[in-house]
Amino acid sequence: MRREVTLRDVAELAGVSSRTVSNVVNGYANVTERTRERVQRAVEELGYRPNVLARNLAQGRSGQIAVVVPYLDTPYFSELLQSVIRAARVSGYNVLIDQTDGDPEHERAFIADGSRRLLFDGVIFSPLGLDQQALTNRDHRLPLVILGERSSDGSFDHVGIDDVAASRQATEHLIDLGRQRIAAIGDQPYATGEAAQRRTRGFREAHAARGLTPREDLIISTPRFNRPDGAQAMAHLLDLAEPPDAVFCYSDLVALGAIRTLLSRGLRVPEDVAVVGYDDIEDGRFSNPTITTISPDKEMIATTAVERLLLRISSPTPPAGLELRAPHRLIVRESTAGRTPR
């Protein structure tokens, strides 16, 4: 019968102390990134699983965290969730997943007074229906890490990429290609559309930096970042007297919808209209053409969110909320560069 792997076994393989392994497993911050990675590799190699039940009984915790997202059918969130689950599992936590559909009342229930009685120790939350004020008026006893839309008010951590800089980079790429009439699809000019507004800001800044003024009729709002919205917005743009010769889409799903409309109208991508997306989802790597996109480091976003949440769960005094930036990069593919001749 195989002997159960212990904390000491992990420590010996990683070349660290048992206390260091315990700090990594419990999500404490006082460990260098290099040491943390070494311990995590040892955990995975040995198949070590913490005695979660004993730990939770001793600490009065459930051993579960909640991840709350607006839509599970959005590839960005499904890809991100896989990384969150892996990171939580290393520390012996189970993950509860809920879809809110952007409903404000549903979202509010997760951060309201007494929400901890719902059997989770903390929440990684991507709000869509709640504005900044609603996040401020929450149960401050609940450990909380926010993804995406909202900025930290100092009582929770916010993990994401620099949307303004990323959008500026995407737009500059199109300007550098010599495109003259660049459209943007995905603006959301209302209180809960902060992420979209940051992307529009980056779009405008890229033009201003080159002494250009974007055409207001080429900035199109959408209720969601999905395929139908992208297709409908692209159809509207093509019906203009002077349609665009390039488009920056605020998600890859929007870009997929836009490309479908372009091809159905007999236009070529990128020869007639160049397209840039956002999120680097798997679908965009296999579409025809493949999609040039802003690629956020989803693995780092997930790992950072889990580590910060576990730190908040384990700390007697909640640490100050931080704005944490993950890196991003522009990946150039066929939708702007064309196909490489064989």
Side-chain angles (χ1 to χ4, degrees):
M1 183 174 180
R2 184 181 177 185
R3 181 175 67 86
E4 183 177 351
V5 178
T6 67
L7 197 81
R8 182 174 297 177
D9 295 329
V10 176
E12 289 179 358
L13 179 60
V16 299
S17 68
S18 295
R19 170 59 64 184
T20 298
V21 175
S22 178
N23 287 340
V24 172
V25 168
N26 286 290
Y28 297 142
N30 56 335
V31 181
T32 66
E33 187 60 32
R34 185 176 179 181
T35 299
R36 186 183 302 278
E37 290 175 356
R38 194 162 72 244
V39 171
Q40 288 175 340
R41 284 197 299 269
V43 166
E44 292 175 3
E45 182 176 336
L46 294 174
Y48 172 69
R49 292 292 177 265
N51 190 333
V52 177
L53 180 59
R55 182 187 67 185
N56 293 339
L57 286 173
Q59 298 176 345
R61 299 175 188 156
S62 68
Q64 300 186 119
I65 61 173
V67 181
V68 183
V69 299
Y71 306 111
L72 290 173
D73 63 352
T74 300
Y76 173 80
F77 287 119
S78 61
E79 292 175 11
L80 187 67
L81 281 168
Q82 293 179 51
S83 298
V84 169
I85 291 169
R86 284 195 297 268
R89 185 181 294 140
V90 168
S91 296
Y93 272 81
N94 294 319
V95 177
L96 303 176
I97 299 169
D98 196 276
Q99 172 177 294
T100 67
D101 295 310
D103 176 59
E105 294 308 314
H106 194 148
E107 292 185 347
R108 190 173 286 109
F110 277 91
I111 59 172
D113 288 342
S115 61
R116 293 192 67 175
R117 291 195 297 270
L118 297 176
L119 300 179
F120 49 80
D121 298 327
V123 181
I124 296 174
F125 187 22
S126 182
L128 187 61
L130 296 183
D131 59 18
Q132 194 73 38
Q133 187 61 41
L135 293 177
T136 300
N137 299 332
R138 64 181 179 85
D139 182 356
H140 286 263
R141 297 168 297 177
L142 176 70
L144 179 67
V145 174
I146 295 292
L147 305 178
E149 299 281 335
R150 312 290 173 258
S151 301
S152 173
D153 66 355
S155 67
F156 57 80
D157 299 309
H158 173 250
V159 185
I161 69 170
D162 188 334
D163 276 313
V164 176
S167 301
R168 188 167 58 239
Q169 184 179 8
T171 308
E172 287 171 348
H173 173 61
L174 293 171
I175 295 173
D176 290 341
L177 292 174
R179 304 294 168 143
Q180 302 293 316
R181 302 178 305 281
I182 304 174
I185 299 178
D187 189 34
Q188 296 175 345
Y190 40 80
T192 57
E194 294 175 21
Q197 291 164 29
R198 288 193 292 268
R199 292 172 199 185
T200 301
R201 178 181 161 194
F203 175 79
R204 293 183 183 280
E205 286 185 2
H207 281 82
R210 304 297 179 88
L212 304 171
T213 301
R215 277 173 44 189
E216 294 302 316
D217 63 331
L218 296 184
I219 301 174
I220 307 300
S221 299
T222 61
R224 284 185 59 182
F225 293 166
N226 61 21
R227 296 176 185 88
D229 289 331
Q232 184 176 356
M234 195 71 247
H236 168 78
L237 288 167
L238 293 179
D239 289 338
L240 296 175
E242 292 185 279
D245 59 2
V247 57
F248 167 42
C249 298
Y250 291 11
S251 81
D252 284 352
L253 289 183
V254 170
L256 287 168
I259 289 172
R260 173 63 181 169
T261 294
L262 288 165
L263 298 179
S264 70
R265 297 281 190 100
L267 296 170
R268 300 167 299 164
V269 178
E271 291 83 355
D272 298 316
V273 181
V275 178
V276 175
Y278 204 105
D279 288 338
D280 188 24
I281 63 173
E282 187 177 48
D283 291 19
R285 298 168 217 157
F286 292 91
S287 60
N288 187 14
T290 55
I291 297 176
T292 295
T293 188
I294 292 294
S295 177
D297 191 333
K298 291 189 277 285
E299 190 70 30
M300 180 173 285
I301 291 172
T303 301
T304 302
V306 170
E307 289 177 353
R308 291 297 298 181
L309 185 65
L310 297 187
L311 175 64
R312 289 186 167 278
I313 290 170
S314 62
S315 299
T317 302
L322 299 178
E323 280 288 337
L324 300 161
R325 296 288 188 216
H328 69 271
R329 61 194 177 107
L330 176 72
I331 298 178
V332 177
R333 297 193 182 111
E334 293 169 350
S335 67
T336 61
R339 291 169 178 80
T340 302
R342 293 186 177 182

